[in-house]
Amino acid sequence: QVQVVESGGGLVQAGGSLRLSCAASGSIFSINDMGWSRQAPGKQREYVAHISRGGDTNYAASVKGRFTISRDNAKNTVFLQMNSLKPEDTAVYYCNVDHFTTWGTTDHYWGQGTQVTVSS
C-alpha cells in the first residue's frame, strides 16, 4: 500500500502565493506520474497539473503561467507552487500518484486533500 499526504494549504490574500507539498510513502516500487487536481464548493473536481517521472509537465489553462509543478524523485514528493492566486483558485487540492508495481501494473492513489482559500 502507498500513502499519499498533502500539506501546505491555507488562507492567503488575492495576489499571494502558497506552496503545496505531497509525499508518497509505504511499499513503493516506482512512482510514475504525480499530479494535482482541485474541487471547489459545488463544483466537480478538475485537473490542475501533472508531472512525469522524467519531469515533463502539463497544466490546465486556468493556472498556466501562475502555477509551477515540480518533484523530488528521491523523496517521492511533488510540489505545486501557486503564485498570483485568485479567489477562484479557492478549492480543496488533491494530490494523485501513479505507482508502478513489481507486477508491472499501475495503481492510482489520492491524498485526502488540503484546503486553499484565497480572499479578495
Side-chain angles (χ1 to χ4, degrees):
Q1 277 284 7
V2 175
Q3 294 77 45
V4 178
V5 179
E6 303 102 332
S7 60
L11 173 64
V12 64
Q13 288 189 333
S17 298
L18 279 176
R19 189 187 195 217
L20 305 183
S21 300
C22 169
S25 61
S27 301
I28 293 174
F29 177 62
S30 179
I31 300 294
N32 290 345
D33 285 3
M34 305 180 83
W36 294 91
S37 299
R38 67 187 182 185
Q39 187 167 17
K43 295 187 177 181
Q44 290 190 334
R45 191 175 297 191
E46 64 175 3
Y47 169 87
V48 173
H50 81 272
I51 183 168
S52 72
R53 184 170 183 83
D56 293 328
T57 60
N58 194 60
Y59 298 91
S62 59
V63 307
K64 199 168 187 178
R66 300 187 297 122
F67 291 9
T68 302
I69 190 170
S70 60
R71 65 188 285 171
D72 182 337
N73 287 336
K75 297 182 178 179
N76 294 317
T77 300
V78 62
F79 307 98
L80 187 68
Q81 178 67 43
M82 304 184 294
N83 299 330
S84 302
L85 283 161
K86 305 175 182 180
E88 50 263 44
D89 293 318
T90 294
V92 177
Y93 283 69
Y94 296 93
C95 173
N96 60 275
V97 169
D98 288 351
H99 175 237
F100 185 73
T101 73
T102 55
W103 301 101
T105 59
T106 299
D107 294 333
H108 308 283
Y109 294 92
W110 291 88
Q112 80 289 349
T114 185
Q115 177 69 47
V116 171
T117 303
V118 184
S119 63
S120 57

